[in-house]
Amino acid sequence: MLHIINHSRDNTMRNPDEPSSIPTLHLYLLDSDNPRPCILILPGGGYHHLADHEGEPVARWLNTLGIHAAVLEYSTYLSLTAADRIDGIAPTSSGHTPAMPSSAAAFSEKDSITTPSRSPVDLSVNKDQTSTDARQATASSASLLIDPSERLQETEEALRLLRQYADEWTILPQQIGLIGFSAGGHLAALTATIGHIRPDLLLLAYPVITFHEPYTHSGSRLHFLGASPEPQAIEQYSAEQQVSESTPPTFIWTTADDASVPAVNSLLFSQALVAHHIPHELHLMESGRHGLGLALEHPYCRQWTELAASWLGRHGYGQQARTLSDMPSDVPADSPQPNVAASSQADNVPVRPNQVLSGKIATTSTSRPTLFIAGDSTAAIKGASEKPMSGWGEYLQPYFGEAVTVANHAINGRSTRSFLAEGRLQHLSSKLQPGDYVLIQFGHNDQKADDPARYTDPDTDYRSYLQQFIDMIKQRGAAPVLLTPVSRRRFLPNGIPDPQAVGRYPQAMRQTAAALDIPLLDIFAASQQLYATLGEVDSRELFMHILSGQHPNYPDGIADDTHFSVQGAQAIAELVISAILQHPGLTALHSCIRHSPVHTV
């Protein structure tokens, strides 16, 4: 059963009693007497969930280009196991929700389309049977909830409906495109290459393309093919292997340092398109985390929408290219909108022109100041296989908007000693420009006395290594900023946070800052105050506490009072921004902060 919800009719929400496991086509049609192109949107989410910021906001942006849009709420792990969760299994604590819009029109019986029923399937490969049709590929996992070919059928059915009702919905049936984000990009690429019903045009945003190691996204492959897929299935559902002369023109963008889905995925698909002489553009941005969506708050990745609009215009889709500033104010964004505008000085920082090359890599650079982060796992960007674990450094960029670029070089498991020994500070320093800032926060791994590669004595080695950080950063004309290590969640019997939760390292950081006259942000003290305010029980929500069977990344559950949940990382990021705003030595950054933090915990 495929539901249709037409958001251009009225604002009635879908009946909450409807089974959430039924795929749904959400229509965002323009009020137009003349037929227009239409683009179907497939949000990402690793086939586990659907990322809401890659759904309706993208549709509203396409509407500003004069293009009809539709969002397919296709089957995911969460939707297929919804009945089990209703029966008592706890919902995921990933912090993500299905790509449901803020409003939906009433559902009627005529809006239903019958599709094959689904149940857990055994997809063991018969090695004596071969097929040239990639749709026959199978995987060897009895726990797989949906056959891979059925995922394609959902997208094909959506495309079929858009063409079938083209007259009623004023759609140009020969101009129906498809855009996919992350895992949705994988589904879009497969539909465009091996689908029985294919789009006329394809756009891919930081897509999963290959299921081959070492570049695959393991979570997407797990939920698409199961835990132990056969080599034949891996090959046949790797989209770069399925490109042919009939693949439609394609637009691709990604970032060079995507930590979740390596940029090689996009390069592999581009290489295959070149080999088959398919017109396409590939834009490889210098830096940006995975899952940016429209990237409204990213200083230069946000340009992808302008590049895509221009490309769509050249292919006869939509009006003249529109910038994000042209979007109406009520269009939802994929990250919080600022309450206070940045200073005019910050808004007028020049940006170098972007280079647009058909079928080639286009890189984007900016002359805005950069705020670097050197630290450990409490600040680091987490990959999809680690989510919902998050680092506080992942949530700083929205506060700065276009005024400052945040470059997160924090990495799991590092101490001051190992960060230096691995050449990471030298690499970071090579990117520094005068006027940049570097936030330095270590301590958790410096505590590991049983690991000589990481341990530092807080009164000697630790302070000596911090001195090396400071000297190298100053030599490049940048400004070091010391942060005391964020506290672990550890309470004493009397109910107050343990002041020794990170040993003597917070005090050593304070002493170093005072001795060398370096700005200090006391995040240890601020985080302890936050935990004390929440209390021992409620503060657990800030950390990685997941029950067994609650999340596929942690099948046995996890109880971790060092690493943060999405909610916890956002709360610590707010503490960092508050500390910057309160520090008299960082006034140059004050005017760059777009809005003041408001705790959501």
Side-chain angles (χ1 to χ4, degrees):
M1 185 74 70
L2 183 63
H3 286 186
I4 300 174
I5 298 179
N6 190 340
H7 296 261
S8 57
R9 282 208 306 247
D10 57 51
N11 293 321
T12 306
M13 288 299 292
R14 181 173 64 173
N15 186 342
D17 294 331
E18 294 169 12
S20 60
S21 61
I22 296 177
T24 302
L25 182 64
H26 300 271
L27 299 176
Y28 299 86
L29 305 176
L30 295 163
D31 185 9
S32 174
D33 295 330
N34 299 318
R36 294 174 178 269
C38 182
I39 293 180
L40 177 64
I41 302 161
L42 303 181
Y47 293 113
H48 173 267
H49 60 275
L50 294 182
D52 52 358
H53 69 284
E54 295 164 355
E56 184 180 17
V58 178
R60 299 300 188 188
W61 162 65
L62 288 170
N63 286 165
T64 69
L65 303 179
I67 300 172
H68 293 309
V71 178
L72 179 61
E73 190 180 345
Y74 57 89
S75 296
T76 65
Y77 173 86
L78 286 189
S79 68
L80 294 169
T81 58
D84 291 336
R85 296 198 307 278
I86 293 172
D87 290 338
I89 298 177
T92 180
S93 61
S94 66
H96 296 284
T97 58
M100 288 299 299
S102 58
S103 63
F107 168 74
S108 63
E109 186 174 343
K110 71 176 183 179
D111 290 330
S112 302
I113 304 296
T114 301
T115 56
S117 61
R118 65 177 65 83
S119 59
V121 292
D122 182 358
L123 297 176
S124 300
V125 168
N126 181 349
K127 296 182 179 180
D128 295 328
Q129 179 182 2
T130 59
S131 172
T132 58
D133 184 358
R135 298 295 296 275
Q136 302 300 316
T138 55
S140 58
S141 174
S143 63
L144 195 60
L145 297 173
I146 180 173
D147 189 288
S149 65
E150 194 173 334
R151 291 192 185 277
L152 289 172
Q153 290 172 14
E154 293 177 359
T155 309
E156 292 168 351
E157 188 65 15
L159 291 172
R160 186 187 70 78
L161 288 170
L162 293 174
R163 292 193 173 107
Q164 178 179 340
Y165 294 100
D167 288 343
E168 180 179 342
W169 295 338
T170 63
I171 292 174
L172 291 169
Q174 74 279 14
Q175 285 189 291
I176 296 180
L178 184 60
I179 181 171
F181 295 78
S182 191
H186 176 257
L187 186 56
L190 286 180
T191 303
T193 54
I194 64 174
H196 297 316
I197 301 175
R198 302 186 186 184
D200 302 299
L201 181 136
L202 179 64
L203 298 93
L204 302 173
Y206 40 86
V208 176
I209 292 295
T210 188
F211 277 166
H212 286 286
E213 298 288 355
Y215 301 115
T216 188
H217 177 246
S218 58
S220 296
R221 191 175 81 172
L222 171 67
H223 292 116
F224 192 93
L225 290 179
S228 303
E230 293 285 345
Q232 177 194 8
I234 293 174
E235 178 76 4
Q236 291 176 328
Y237 286 109
S238 291
E240 80 278 9
Q241 302 298 327
Q242 307 304 333
V243 173
S244 67
E245 283 71 16
S246 61
T247 302
T250 303
F251 176 96
I252 312 169
W253 85 273
T254 190
T255 59
D257 61 351
D258 190 322
S260 298
V261 178
V264 172
N265 281 261
S266 295
L267 297 176
L268 287 171
F269 201 70
S270 175
Q271 185 178 34
L273 294 171
V274 170
H276 289 87
H277 309 289
I278 304 300
H280 74 289
E281 282 187 10
L282 168 63
H283 299 277
L284 183 62
M285 306 299 183
E286 181 179 346
S287 182
R289 65 171 176 81
H290 185 73
L292 284 170
L294 290 176
L296 293 178
E297 295 293 340
H298 198 280
Y300 49 86
C301 287
R302 72 196 310 267
Q303 296 179 55
W304 84 263
T305 55
E306 299 173 31
L307 297 169
S310 176
W311 182 81
L312 286 167
R314 294 197 301 275
H315 285 270
Y317 283 64
Q319 304 164 349
Q320 186 176 0
R322 301 276 300 277
T323 66
L324 285 171
S325 60
D326 295 323
M327 294 179 66
S329 59
D330 60 346
V331 175
D334 64 335
S335 54
Q337 291 298 298
N339 297 325
V340 181
S343 69
S344 59
Q345 180 180 2
D347 286 340
N348 292 329
V349 175
V351 181
R352 302 186 187 99
N354 200 71
Q355 185 180 14
V356 183
L357 299 174
S358 178
K360 298 181 181 180
I361 297 172
T363 57
T364 305
S365 60
T366 173
S367 58
R368 296 179 176 88
T370 300
L371 181 72
F372 290 85
I373 303 173
D376 54 31
S377 57
T378 60
I381 296 171
K382 299 295 183 288
S385 62
E386 299 173 279
K387 290 295 184 180
M389 184 184 293
S390 300
W392 60 259
E394 297 182 68
Y395 298 97
L396 289 189
Q397 185 65 67
Y399 290 100
F400 292 100
E402 299 181 31
V404 173
T405 299
V406 175
N408 192 347
H409 286 246
I411 190 161
N412 295 354
R414 270 50 179 192
S415 67
T416 53
R417 180 191 297 273
S418 61
F419 199 91
L420 283 165
E422 294 172 4
R424 296 183 182 277
L425 178 61
Q426 185 174 4
H427 174 70
L428 184 157
S429 297
S430 69
K431 299 177 178 295
L432 290 175
Q433 299 292 331
D436 289 342
Y437 294 82
V438 183
L439 304 184
I440 306 166
Q441 184 183 71
F442 291 95
H444 290 83
N445 297 298
D446 290 79
Q447 275 190 299
K448 299 183 181 299
D450 57 349
D451 185 352
R454 292 189 287 179
Y455 174 71
T456 64
D457 181 281
D459 299 317
T460 56
D461 302 334
Y462 182 65
R463 295 185 61 177
S464 175
Y465 288 132
L466 289 174
Q467 173 85 61
Q468 293 183 46
F469 275 80
I470 292 166
D471 290 345
M472 190 174 295
I473 292 165
K474 282 187 170 183
Q475 288 173 7
R476 301 289 297 183
V481 180
L482 298 181
L483 284 68
T484 52
V486 62
S487 179
R488 293 185 174 91
R489 178 181 168 274
R490 183 187 299 169
F491 283 80
L492 298 176
N494 62 1
I496 66 170
D498 184 358
Q500 294 299 314
V502 195
R504 303 198 310 276
Y505 294 88
Q507 182 59 23
M509 184 71 82
R510 296 183 191 109
Q511 292 170 346
T512 303
L516 301 176
D517 194 23
I518 301 298
L520 175 79
L521 308 182
D522 199 343
I523 305 305
F524 178 83
S527 58
Q528 287 227 317
Q529 182 178 353
L530 174 62
Y531 307 159
T533 300
L534 292 172
E536 186 169 1
V537 175
D538 290 345
S539 62
R540 186 183 295 119
E541 297 298 319
L542 303 180
F543 291 86
M544 287 293 293
H545 284 259
I546 296 177
L547 299 176
S548 176
Q550 197 174 6
H551 196 285
N553 284 345
Y554 304 92
D556 298 326
I558 185 174
D560 181 343
D561 288 317
T562 297
H563 298 101
F564 298 109
S565 64
V566 171
Q567 184 180 4
Q570 291 173 337
I572 301 304
E574 290 178 356
L575 295 181
V576 172
I577 294 297
S578 292
I580 291 173
L581 287 171
Q582 295 169 19
H583 200 292
L586 298 175
T587 54
L589 280 177
H590 294 179
S591 61
C592 298
I593 294 174
R594 299 284 297 275
H595 59 103
S596 299
V598 177
H599 283 294
T600 57
V601 296

